[in-house]
């Protein structure tokens, strides 16, 4: 089986930020760490800087930043914040059951 297919639980993630703020940088660092620990080789992160491409906020209905959008696997999930709460991110990505 090829890597990166939905059958293997491939995660397509978008992180919406607005410039290189400390919160944006922290969100990316936290996301990258969580993905490496729990989704090694099964994820793709796309960073969307709304200062450069504000029109993209509409498509995913972004109301706060940073916001992580899990586009795959479906359904779409959103997690708002700097992703410093690993437990919350794992539950949000459905990598861990909600208690």
């Amino acid at each position: 089986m090829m890597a990166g297919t939905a059958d293997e639980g491939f995660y397509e993630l978008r992180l919406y930020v607005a410039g290189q703020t400390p919160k944006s940088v922290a969100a990316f660092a936290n996301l990258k760490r969580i993905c490496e620990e729990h989704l090694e080789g099964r994820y793709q992160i796309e960073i969307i800087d709304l200062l450069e491409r504000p029109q993209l906020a509409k498509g995913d209905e972004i109301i706060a930043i940073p916001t992580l959008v899990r586009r795959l696997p479906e359904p779409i999930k959103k997690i708002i914040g700097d992703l410093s709460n690993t437990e919350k991110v794992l539950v949000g990505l459905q990598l861990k059951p909600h208690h």
Side-chain angles (χ1 to χ4, degrees), residues 14-25:
R14 274 190 180 173
L15 181 64
Y16 286 87
V17 298
Q20 293 286 317
T21 65
K23 206 168 184 177
S24 298
V25 172

Side-chain angles (χ1 to χ4, degrees), residues 44-98:
Q44 172 187 333
I45 300 171
E46 183 180 5
I47 305 292
I48 307 287
D49 189 336
L50 294 178
L51 294 180
E52 296 172 8
R53 301 191 289 174
Q55 72 279 8
L56 292 180
K58 230 179 203 175
D60 280 324
E61 298 176 353
I62 301 304
I63 56 169
I65 47 170
T67 295
L68 173 65
V69 176
R70 185 191 78 179
R71 298 178 63 81
L72 286 177
E74 292 184 344
I76 289 175
K77 294 278 185 183
K78 294 179 189 170
I79 303 168
I80 296 171
D82 66 5
L83 311 176
S84 60
N85 185 336
T86 302
E87 182 85 9
K88 183 180 164 189
V89 175
L90 291 176
V91 170
L93 291 176
Q94 294 182 322
L95 291 170
K96 189 172 187 175
H98 191 341

